[in-house]
Amino acid sequence: MSNRTLYVRAAEDLRPNERQWQAYESAGHCVLLAGPGSGKTKTLTVKLARMLSEDVEEPRGIACITYNNECARELETRLDALGIAQSRRVFIGTVHSFSLTQILLPYAKVAGLDLPDDFTVATTRQTRAALEIAHSKVIGGSENPQNWDLRLGRHRRRFLNRSVPEWQDADPQLTQLVEAYEANLRAKGVIDFDDMPILALKALRENNWLRKAIAAKYPILAVDEYQDLGRALHAMVMGLCFKSGIRLFAVGDVDQSIYGFTGANPELLRKLSEREDVETVRLGLNYRCGSQIVTASEYALGEERGYQAPEGAHEGTIYFHPCTGGYSGQARYLVKELIPEIQARRPDLHLGEIAILYQAKFIGDDVAAAAAEHGYAVIRTDGNALYPRGSRLMRWLEQCAMWCCGGWRSGHPRVSRVISEGARLFHEVIRSDDDHLEFQRAVIAALWDRREGTLGLHDWLVALRAELIRPRIGMARSLADEVETLDSFIERLGSTGDIDDFPLSEFAGIGSGLDRINLSSLHSAKGREFDVVILCGAEEGRLPRNGASTSEVKEARRLFYVGFTRARHEIHLMYGQAIPSRFVTEVRQRLEAE
């Protein structure tokens, strides 16, 4: 079946929804304002497939910028189902990845960025050391230098153009700290995470030929989760799309802007959507949540948006659980009583369709301890996870483990998928067909001899690191931090580590997640959906926190709304008996008043 047949057939599912179809038919700059469960990812992927097939002639292509690697992975999977594999014509990745791979690595030298020819991306260890040296030079004293990390990042992202007087005048000490920190990085020949979009934007601003080169390669730019991507990306869009002729297709939702601490600003999307030269489409149906949850979600947000469930949708249910005993009491209650009650009511429900969401990782510690005590396996996506869930390398190794533990027999995942994702991971090394063939042979050889779920994970990881990763890592300048994450995990599994080694099948289960309860921070849950959501610790002083400013309260409400709308069938709100969050109280009062 041809690619065109696949996306045209998929597009027919959009036709009954007038606004999805309007976005699919758009011909110029388009902003798709898409609330939770509105089908925005399907609309985006089918639209990408159409534009690549009908609007862009080879060898030119499309770049799609996403918020994080999880979003990129989801888009890649959906495009693959439409017959569109990742290739040199299709870039899908974060704004940092776009900045690094499409601008800095190929053009840094000729763009006048004063970076060494062989610069690499700093590891976490290197950035911490650079901040310690800069702090000692500029600030001094016995304070922990890492306490300045958030302020440092905000200051760097605030001043995208450092030629303005405010760069020196607004906070001279913080500016000195930034300059000392960056000088330490450059002395080591490295750039860090925040450097990537800042330096890429500088290169684009100062080099008209570079803007033309990007436009020649990618005449269309798609941006997903626009509200989360910050001022550097917005400035790139303004220059590339409204000055250099690249066509824009942007997707986002101002109500789901929850990353203010990284510089995200929902007003940027709002202003973009109000431009006269942009066609703006707002999706109004929520296909995910039950009708009662859709109604209550606007109470959670505190704003009327007119969202509706489609005709014939299930109802959905909201439950309120005042608890005693603090967070540990909530954890014991939800594991000992609530989850068994849910399982009894819905015996066919996989544990992987249950998510427990919370504001702080120490709440997750209480839940994880209670779950272990009662024999439940969990998968954590918070600051105390076994390893960062956003790590591309660790997620690829999970796929490898799934293939070794039965995927080779069932085709889930297909070995071709495992190889293609690995090739994208090592794209700096795998540049030719011969390189790809060599990598393919190495992957199959390494995995074929280890098709056994009872193997110890430590030894399996050590072997794959030696056979697949070490021969390539020296030339992969963007993966140093990823390998540091892997090495740290291997060390924790070792004889002197803090985690008992476990079988490969358990690691593969982390990738599939079917029999594990999801424990996630509210921020990490964004973009995901579950049959049942339990929002733990939804109380005043935590959501919102005590002393929060007006803007912080608004963002806390949006965070509550994001958590609320992850649920398809059931949302359970748990809180200390005497101190429910003002957001919980408002939802309950408005539901009781209906």
Side-chain angles (χ1 to χ4, degrees):
M1 190 178 296
S2 70
N3 293 353
R4 180 178 174 83
T5 301
L6 287 170
Y7 80 75
V8 169
R9 181 175 294 179
E12 287 304 309
D13 293 336
L14 306 180
R15 192 185 290 273
N17 185 315
E18 180 181 348
R19 294 178 184 176
Q20 286 183 336
W21 189 256
Q22 181 184 348
Y24 176 71
E25 291 278 81
S26 63
H29 298 312
C30 181
V31 170
L32 183 64
L33 299 177
S38 59
K40 64 100 174 172
T41 304
K42 180 168 186 174
T43 306
L44 173 59
T45 50
V46 176
K47 179 64 172 177
L48 285 172
R50 181 182 190 179
M51 292 189 296
L52 189 67
S53 176
E54 300 180 16
D55 301 337
V56 180
E57 294 186 9
E58 293 191 52
R60 305 176 81 192
I62 290 179
C64 181
I65 294 175
T66 65
Y67 177 70
N68 58 30
N69 289 316
E70 289 294 299
C71 295
R73 190 186 184 108
E74 173 70 12
L75 287 175
E76 288 170 359
T77 300
R78 294 200 184 204
L79 284 171
D80 187 59
L82 296 176
I84 296 175
Q86 183 89 325
S87 69
R88 296 184 185 276
R89 291 189 67 210
V90 183
F91 171 87
I92 301 174
T94 65
V95 65
H96 298 85
S97 177
F98 181 81
S99 299
L100 179 66
T101 65
Q102 306 301 308
I103 298 173
L104 299 183
L105 288 176
Y107 300 117
K109 184 175 182 179
V110 290
L113 293 179
D114 198 26
L115 293 175
D117 293 348
D118 57 349
F119 78 88
T120 60
V121 178
T123 65
T124 301
R125 187 176 295 123
Q126 287 174 314
T127 59
R128 292 177 67 89
L131 181 53
E132 288 174 8
I133 295 170
H135 181 273
S136 176
K137 178 180 179 181
V138 176
I139 309 294
S142 59
E143 177 190 19
N144 183 354
Q146 305 310 317
N147 292 342
W148 286 77
D149 185 55
L150 286 177
R151 279 176 285 176
L152 184 92
R154 280 197 295 264
H155 196 63
R156 296 171 76 195
R157 292 187 294 268
R158 177 185 173 190
F159 292 98
L160 300 178
N161 181 0
R162 296 183 181 178
S163 63
V164 298
E166 289 81 6
W167 170 244
Q168 296 295 336
D169 299 340
D171 191 329
Q173 185 184 53
L174 198 48
T175 291
Q176 289 177 42
L177 183 66
V178 168
E179 291 176 343
Y181 167 77
E182 291 178 350
N184 282 311
L185 291 182
R186 301 301 180 267
K188 297 292 185 182
V190 298
I191 65 173
D192 73 354
F193 197 66
D194 278 335
D195 272 322
M196 296 177 194
I198 293 172
L199 290 173
L201 179 60
K202 182 176 187 291
L204 289 169
R205 276 179 169 165
E206 296 177 358
N207 296 279
N208 183 50
W209 61 264
L210 179 54
R211 296 194 297 273
K212 290 181 178 179
I214 298 298
K217 185 175 183 180
Y218 299 121
I220 297 177
L221 173 65
V223 182
D224 191 19
E225 303 291 359
Y226 196 100
Q227 76 283 348
D228 291 331
L229 289 163
R231 295 175 61 240
L233 182 278
H234 184 69
M236 286 186 201
V237 167
M238 291 299 103
L240 291 172
C241 298
F242 297 100
K243 293 180 181 179
S244 300
I246 293 179
R247 175 178 160 193
L248 175 68
F249 189 86
V251 182
D253 181 10
V254 294
D255 296 330
Q256 295 186 76
S257 180
I258 57 173
Y259 294 102
F261 59 91
T262 68
N265 182 352
E267 286 303 308
L268 300 178
L269 174 60
R270 195 188 312 276
K271 291 178 180 178
L272 178 65
S273 69
E274 293 171 353
R275 288 180 62 105
E276 292 184 358
D277 52 356
V278 169
E279 179 181 4
T280 297
V281 181
R282 181 182 292 276
L283 300 184
L285 291 178
N286 182 331
Y287 294 98
R288 174 191 302 153
C289 305
S291 57
Q292 188 176 16
I293 297 175
V294 173
T295 298
S297 70
E298 293 199 339
Y299 306 156
L301 181 63
E303 301 275 355
E304 291 187 11
R305 294 288 185 255
Y307 293 129
Q308 296 179 342
E311 188 176 344
H314 60 276
E315 185 175 2
T317 313
I318 300 105
Y319 298 87
F320 298 86
H321 301 277
C323 296
T324 58
Y327 297 125
S328 59
Q330 292 182 40
R332 288 192 299 271
Y333 168 76
L334 72 86
V335 170
K336 188 175 180 180
E337 299 184 39
L338 182 53
I339 290 178
E341 184 270 323
I342 292 169
Q343 289 181 299
R345 188 172 65 251
R346 303 186 61 191
D348 295 331
L349 184 71
H350 289 294
L351 288 176
E353 288 295 341
I354 299 174
I356 300 169
L357 312 182
Y358 37 82
Q359 173 78 337
K361 60 187 178 184
F362 70 84
I363 301 176
D365 293 341
D366 286 338
V367 177
E373 184 180 341
H374 288 82
Y376 290 109
V378 302
I379 175 171
R380 293 185 70 165
T381 52
D382 61 18
N384 283 344
L386 286 175
Y387 45 83
R389 297 297 298 164
S391 167
R392 294 172 294 152
L393 178 58
M394 295 304 298
R395 293 304 297 271
W396 180 64
L397 289 169
E398 286 176 7
Q399 277 202 318
C400 292
M402 291 167 66
W403 190 87
C404 288
C405 294
W408 64 275
R409 187 184 297 112
S410 67
H412 300 291
R414 302 190 310 272
V415 70
S416 60
R417 181 71 176 168
V418 174
I419 291 167
S420 65
E421 290 214 9
R424 285 197 291 278
L425 193 64
F426 295 101
H427 65 91
E428 294 173 69
V429 181
I430 303 171
R431 299 177 178 176
S432 67
D433 291 342
D434 287 343
D435 291 339
H436 192 279
L437 183 59
E438 179 188 355
F439 180 72
Q440 176 179 308
R441 288 170 175 164
V443 170
I444 292 173
L447 300 186
W448 188 261
D449 291 338
R450 297 178 176 87
R451 292 170 295 139
E452 177 54 64
T454 60
L455 292 174
L457 178 59
H458 177 272
D459 291 348
W460 185 87
L461 288 173
V462 168
L464 262 65
R465 192 196 188 287
E467 295 176 25
L468 297 179
I469 298 168
R470 187 173 60 191
R472 296 167 179 83
I473 193 59
M475 295 178 285
R477 292 189 280 169
S478 62
L479 290 180
D481 205 36
E482 297 274 356
V483 175
E484 191 173 84
T485 295
L486 171 61
D487 289 345
S488 174
F489 184 52
I490 289 174
E491 186 177 338
R492 294 181 68 188
L493 287 168
S495 58
T496 60
D498 63 328
I499 304 172
D500 291 335
D501 195 13
F502 51 89
L504 182 62
S505 59
E506 189 171 336
F507 183 63
I510 292 174
S512 64
L514 289 177
D515 297 315
R516 295 169 178 267
I517 299 170
N518 295 277
L519 273 57
S520 174
S521 68
L522 282 162
H523 286 93
S524 295
K526 188 169 179 296
R528 305 176 71 189
E529 59 184 70
F530 307 92
D531 261 27
V532 177
V533 168
I534 302 168
L535 209 168
C536 190
E539 51 205 38
E540 205 68 14
R542 175 59 53 191
L543 195 68
R545 65 175 178 81
N546 290 326
S549 65
T550 300
S551 63
E552 289 170 334
V553 170
K554 288 180 179 179
E555 182 159 301
R557 183 184 276 278
R558 294 196 296 268
L559 186 61
F560 178 65
Y561 171 72
V562 165
F564 201 96
T565 52
R566 300 310 93 196
R568 286 189 287 261
H569 291 275
E570 300 180 15
I571 172 75
H572 297 259
L573 303 175
M574 299 184 63
Y575 46 90
Q577 195 161 17
I579 49 171
S581 165
R582 68 189 75 174
F583 310 143
V584 172
T585 299
E586 185 173 343
V587 170
R588 185 163 199 168
Q589 289 175 345
R590 295 190 65 176
L591 285 173
E592 290 172 350
E594 288 182 351

